[in-house]
Amino acid sequence: MKVGDRVFISPDLTLQKDWLPGIVIQMENNPFVGIVISAETEDHNVFFGRDDMFKPIEEEVCLP
């Protein structure tokens, strides 16, 4: 993952029922917990946590 990628954010972070879509806005290599990702949702809420709390959104490829 990298800044600008679309991701799903875990319900463990959002306290919602389902995974929410968002965009990675920052990545940090924390020496204590590893990679920490910050992602922003469409309603401008920002969630951050370990990289295992985020799943990349697979883009659908349309072929002619």
Side-chain angles (χ1 to χ4, degrees):
M1 276 187 265
K2 62 186 182 306
V3 173
D5 282 356
R6 297 182 65 223
V7 293
F8 285 119
I9 306 166
S10 171
D12 293 335
L13 293 177
T14 63
L15 303 177
Q16 300 294 315
K17 184 178 172 184
D18 297 316
W19 290 70
L20 293 180
I23 297 176
V24 175
I25 58 171
Q26 183 178 4
M27 294 186 71
E28 170 188 344
N29 191 359
N30 184 299
F32 300 105
V33 296
I35 296 174
V36 175
I37 295 174
S38 299
E40 184 175 12
T41 60
E42 288 181 357
D43 56 359
H44 303 290
N45 288 322
V46 176
F47 298 95
F48 64 93
R50 294 185 325 266
D51 62 343
D52 62 345
M53 297 289 182
F54 300 87
K55 294 192 297 190
I57 296 177
E58 301 296 326
E59 299 293 328
E60 292 184 20
V61 178
C62 296
L63 298 175

